[in-house]
Amino acid sequence: MASRNVAIGLMFLSQVAIGILGNISLLYHLVLSCNKYTLRSTDVILRHLIIANALVILSKGIPQTIATFGIKYFFNDLGCNLLSYIQRVGRSVSIAITCLLSIYQIITINPMNSCWKDLKGKAPKYIGFSISLCWILYMV
């Protein structure tokens, strides 16, 4: 194996490790902070966004790292299809939840005399349902 492939493989491995450690530390911080006060809607959205991003990092980074180190045929057809499915679900849910977070922030920061004033009180009630719908929709 060429030293260039080893260097690229180590870079992929470090990116995956740092990405997963970052997501786990953010998730751990959100879990600890929910014990101190009531859970905000943005915290729920961020938890699911962290999980979706971790799925993308794991399903895309690990196979690239394995391929760079020169290991061929590590996954069979079922494993490849499962990794592809997990990556697509994670990426789609990540995009959808990011859009949901943007919409929630727009509703929250608008003044009370805007056309969004009716949604300001209703939005936190529907966050959990919207996130569940995103996960179910993209898993199907």
Side-chain angles (χ1 to χ4, degrees):
M1 182 178 347
S3 62
R4 179 180 173 170
N5 288 345
V6 172
I8 292 173
L10 288 175
M11 285 181 8
F12 279 144
L13 187 62
S14 65
Q15 285 178 348
V16 169
I18 290 171
I20 291 300
L21 284 175
N23 280 319
I24 288 173
S25 66
L26 283 173
L27 191 60
Y28 181 73
H29 175 70
L30 284 175
V31 168
L32 281 182
S33 65
C34 82
N35 293 334
K36 298 177 184 173
Y37 60 89
T38 59
L39 196 62
R40 295 182 302 188
S41 298
T42 54
D43 292 339
V44 174
I45 294 171
L46 288 176
R47 281 183 182 180
H48 287 276
L49 187 61
I50 290 168
I51 292 168
N53 285 334
L55 284 176
V56 171
I57 289 171
L58 286 175
S59 64
K60 190 70 174 173
I62 291 177
Q64 282 182 344
T65 305
I66 291 171
T68 306
F69 282 128
I71 301 172
K72 294 182 180 181
Y73 309 114
F74 188 74
F75 297 111
N76 57 5
D77 287 340
L78 180 65
C80 287
N81 288 335
L82 184 65
L83 277 175
S84 176
Y85 172 76
I86 290 172
Q87 185 204 1
R88 286 190 308 248
V89 167
R91 185 180 59 217
S92 301
V93 168
S94 178
I95 292 170
I97 291 178
T98 302
C99 293
L100 182 68
L101 179 62
S102 298
I103 291 168
Y104 181 74
Q105 287 174 340
I106 288 171
I107 291 171
T108 304
I109 65 172
N110 274 324
M112 287 303 287
N113 59 0
S114 71
C115 62
W116 297 92
K117 66 183 175 191
D118 297 334
L119 293 175
K120 197 173 256 192
K122 295 178 184 178
K125 297 176 191 174
Y126 296 111
I127 293 294
F129 174 73
S130 300
I131 291 173
S132 301
L133 186 66
C134 286
W135 278 104
I136 291 169
L137 179 70
Y138 289 113
M139 280 187 190
V140 172

